[in-house]
Amino acid sequence: MTFLFASAIHGAGSPRPLNFINDVQPILTKADCNTGGCHAKAGMGQRGFRLSLLGFEPEEDYEHIVKESKGRRVFPPAPEQSLLVMKAANIVPHGGGKKLEPNSEEYKTLVRWISEGMPYAQPTDPKVTSIEVEPKRLSMKVHTGQQLKVTARYSDGSTRDVTHMALYEANDKSMAEADHHGHVKTLDIPGNVAVMVRYSGLVSVFSVSIPLGAPVEILPPEKNFIDRYVFANLKQIGVPPSALCDDSTFLRRVSLDIAGRLPTLEETKTFLSSKEVNKRDLLIESLLSSPDYADYFANKWTAMLKNKRDDAADITANFAFHAWMRDSLLANKKYDEIVRQILASTGTIVSNPPVAWYKRVKEPTQQLEDVAQLFLGVRMQCAQCHHHPFERWSQHDYYSLSAFFSQVGRKPTAIAGEDLIFHKRGIAQTENKKTRQPVKPAALGSDTLDIPADEDPRLKLADWMSQPSNPFFAKSLTNRYWKHFFKRGLVEPEDDIRDTNPATNPELLDALAKHFIESGFDLKAVVRVITQSHTYQLSAMPNEHNAVDRQNFSHYYPKRMQAEVLLDAMDLITGAKSDFADLPPGTRAISLPDNSYNRASAFLKVFGRPEGASVCECERVQSASLAQSLHLMNASDVKAKLVTNNGRADVLSKAEIPEPKRIRELYLAAFSREPTADEVRIAETHLAKPRADAQGKALDSQRARRQGYEDLIWALLNTKEFLYNH
């Protein structure tokens, strides 16, 4: 009936007929009516009126507006009196406030659509096929503005200016702002920022380069292709880089970043005294060959792969999986092979430790979400219920990826809580929960696969991942590792790689991915090329121009030591040892196999060691807090380390060497550098002070000196220079 009514009122020369999809749905989206905080709220929406999230289910939305509650929301005889219009204009009190101004174009469109009989859409009606933003790319100075123009292209070849109806959002709001009208304003920080433009379920991107404009006259020599791309970007935006760091800083920095530990006193003395021209490269190779590298990165990967202990029965699986990951890294097993062995694992944990992943991640939907986020840098979670709001991934894509895991079988074993994982013979497919239709496997952006019943579909997924043409696999890993060494990824967050969230230096990310593929997915090759670059070796001290830079890597960005690394560093400086249950004495914190040790260590908990509940590295807390400061200053476990018998304070107080040499060794151990003359003088003055016990009785000189060293070590442990990798 509505279509007959609509067609009856249009004659020759009438305005273009309206329909729900092309004309009404964009208004609801622009007014935020179909956001999660409004009528697209999970459950029943808002006050009984429900819309699909961001309008991705227009048929359902049409039903709710036109037919639900006996059509009470629309009133064709007097369109202006329709509840839909009066609520939006706040003529009738509306909890969401005024969304439309009376007599605005959007208001008139709604009124006209209702007067025309609320047509949904005819099969012959043109559909939006793409949107384009103008300009596409621009260089803008700080504190300047630019008006965008957005054009929608339709299936019949027509176009429409939809600037006033599109939505705009900058991917870094500290660099640029975009208002509802498409006006972009740059802020204080130079670099590259993207503004996502969204209309009718489609997206486009406006890319902005914000130059600082300072002269870039002196650049460090290029060590490899990383420097070429980084320095070219710095020249383009006019941000001069800092100078290269000194040997002491580099030694400490790279040891923490590759091996997860401070350099030993012997390593420091040897490196600083070396006259080898390539001693930095030699140090990198030494660290990559060490067991510490495998320990540190196994700690990183097993947390993201959810190697967590929920009960005592998990201990065998957790220890086995951690040991397998560590041994794989120590042997430099290729990354694609590590991923293949995890995804396609079969058997029991004892015989094949990668099976432990399936102990934690049991459902196909959870498996696909973790695999996509961890190994592809794609967040698929929202596509289970609706089209991805910022990407091209649909529900069909979601369930197509899930189908690769549809034939994973489980059988209980004689060990409590342990399953035998196997491939069930059968056609790989899963059901789309919304359409109730079967969906066969398809990798992201690839064709559907017809996989024979006897073949394990997970192997097909692993094959696709390791193809050189895969647009996600290599980029995801190199971006993740870039963030490990530089504090922020080229794409941030590091596991959210999409067209609407472009890299700050796309050419560099492409080059890193290409290098990784050509190396045969060699993880050590990624670490090597990053740490050998002069970009990585820049000083953390900003110059007069680049202090505001947060994304162009014009200087090294200091980062707080991770909980495990900091605990091990404190043990090294104090000479104490941390004991952990079920592990040999002297086991370092970076070697802990799972999260269970967090409960027994207040230090690890306070400083944010992750529980392994998520594939997101954001679970690890690396921001400073008051609790951390108080713990370092007053906690009993920290005090116990300072007063350890035969610890560093005890040994230094008894050493038969001049005081300045003792202070020098302490600074070399803590900071990998010599103390300044002022630091030596201040330390000597403090150590020479007379001291008394709790009863006021003067202490003998050796005991007083030991307390002085305990004070000095405590002071060094609480400095930013110690707590941060810089």
Side-chain angles (χ1 to χ4, degrees), residues 187-208:
L187 303 178
D188 297 310
I189 301 175
N192 299 296
V193 64
V195 177
M196 179 184 65
V197 182
R198 180 159 51 91
Y199 176 78
S200 197
L202 300 173
V203 293
S204 186
V205 176
F206 168 54
S207 298
V208 186

Side-chain angles (χ1 to χ4, degrees), residues 229-246:
Y229 288 109
V230 171
F231 295 162
N233 180 57
L234 292 177
K235 288 179 70 174
Q236 180 181 351
I237 63 175
V239 177
S242 297
L244 294 177
C245 66
D246 59 28

